[in-house]
Amino acid sequence: MASELLLLDFNFSPFAARVRIALEEKGLEYESREEDLDNKSPLLLEMNPVYKQVPVLIHKGKPISESSIIVQYIDEVWNHKSPLLPSDPYERAHARFWVDYIDKKIYPCGNKLWNLPKGEAQEAAKEELMESFKTLEAELGDKPYLGGNTFNFVDITLIPFYSYFHTFEKLGNLNMVKECPKLVEWGQRCMHKESVSKSVSDPIAVYEAALEIIRDLGF
């Protein structure tokens, strides 16, 4: 099975982490090949010539790109266990809505905390980031998971960013427990799943990587 599945990977990528979690949830063996994003491999450029980014899942020689598309592909091909999307069409559409929301809000805003100098633009990004987290906290409500009673596609999409909470707090002078207590509890709950804990990045390593970016940018 491992020879059939090759993941072009990057340890700090929350998008690649989604794919790792989905593969673990399905109990699939796969080979992970770490990419140097400053010196992208010929294989990555061949398999994802449009975006030239990770993750790319290569299944029997055929590439699938973009994390949310890959997770859905995994769920459709290996549908014998651990469903990642709801079976009901409305619930599937609901899950896809929140996945789209996360992709449009969390990383773009969070990324600005270490890619912009301190000032109005960074403050605006921080405010939008926290508004987005509060929107997700309201959607979570009293449910154990964003997907409802079971861990699903929406949780897989957001949980890699739990490793970024420490960085967001340090760089944005935020307090996630105070601002979004239910979301923090949700993150802790998800981390008890082996598929998650073995797949997401270390929070301290993420923060150190962000500081290195800030130093390189001269902020």
Side-chain angles (χ1 to χ4, degrees):
M1 180 68 73
S3 61
E4 293 184 357
L5 284 171
L6 171 63
L7 176 62
L8 302 185
D9 206 347
F10 182 64
N11 180 55
F12 289 121
S13 167
F15 305 102
R18 295 171 178 177
V19 180
R20 295 194 293 267
I21 294 168
L23 291 166
E24 293 291 341
E25 281 287 301
K26 294 289 185 177
L28 298 171
E29 294 182 16
Y30 67 98
E31 178 187 348
S32 170
R33 188 172 299 177
E34 186 82 358
E35 284 285 333
D36 178 355
L37 300 186
D38 292 323
N39 184 25
K40 296 171 184 177
S41 72
L43 182 61
L44 174 59
L45 299 178
E46 176 189 353
M47 292 290 125
N48 190 1
V50 176
Y51 292 121
K52 304 177 178 65
Q53 294 291 346
V54 297
V56 178
L57 182 67
I58 304 172
H59 181 212
K60 296 182 179 179
K62 296 180 179 179
I64 308 97
S65 302
E66 295 297 286
S67 62
S68 62
I69 295 171
I70 298 171
V71 171
Q72 292 178 78
Y73 176 85
I74 290 168
D75 197 41
E76 290 171 3
V77 174
W78 292 277
N79 58 10
H80 62 290
K81 64 173 290 188
S82 303
L84 306 179
L85 275 85
S87 58
D88 178 76
Y90 175 79
E91 293 299 327
R92 278 203 307 275
H94 187 75
R96 286 172 175 144
F97 171 86
W98 285 110
V99 166
D100 182 67
Y101 180 86
I102 293 163
D103 279 344
K104 288 177 177 174
K105 292 290 187 179
I106 303 304
Y107 185 76
C109 294
N111 194 41
K112 290 175 183 176
L113 293 184
W114 55 83
N115 277 290
L116 288 175
K118 291 187 180 298
E120 290 184 7
Q122 191 194 63
E123 282 298 312
K126 182 176 75 172
E127 288 180 14
E128 187 176 357
L129 177 66
M130 290 312 301
E131 286 175 7
S132 301
F133 277 135
K134 288 177 180 179
T135 297
L136 289 164
E137 170 135 318
E139 167 62 17
L140 175 64
D142 294 323
K143 302 190 301 287
Y145 298 105
L146 283 160
N149 291 324
T150 58
F151 180 82
N152 81 358
F153 186 29
V154 188
D155 303 284
I156 289 172
T157 302
L158 184 61
I159 191 57
F161 292 108
Y162 180 71
S163 297
Y164 285 65
F165 281 13
H166 176 70
T167 300
F168 295 153
E169 289 184 320
K170 289 288 188 179
L171 299 182
N173 192 27
L174 303 170
N175 186 326
M176 291 298 295
V177 172
K178 181 179 178 181
E179 298 283 348
C180 299
K182 290 183 178 180
L183 208 57
V184 172
E185 289 177 3
W186 161 86
Q188 294 168 344
R189 190 177 302 116
C190 291
M191 286 297 292
H192 283 113
K193 295 180 66 66
E194 186 179 1
S195 63
V196 174
S197 62
K198 70 188 296 183
S199 300
V200 298
S201 303
D202 175 71
I204 302 303
V206 170
Y207 179 54
E208 291 173 349
L211 290 180
E212 187 174 343
I213 292 171
I214 290 170
R215 285 193 294 268
D216 289 345
L217 292 172
F219 297 157

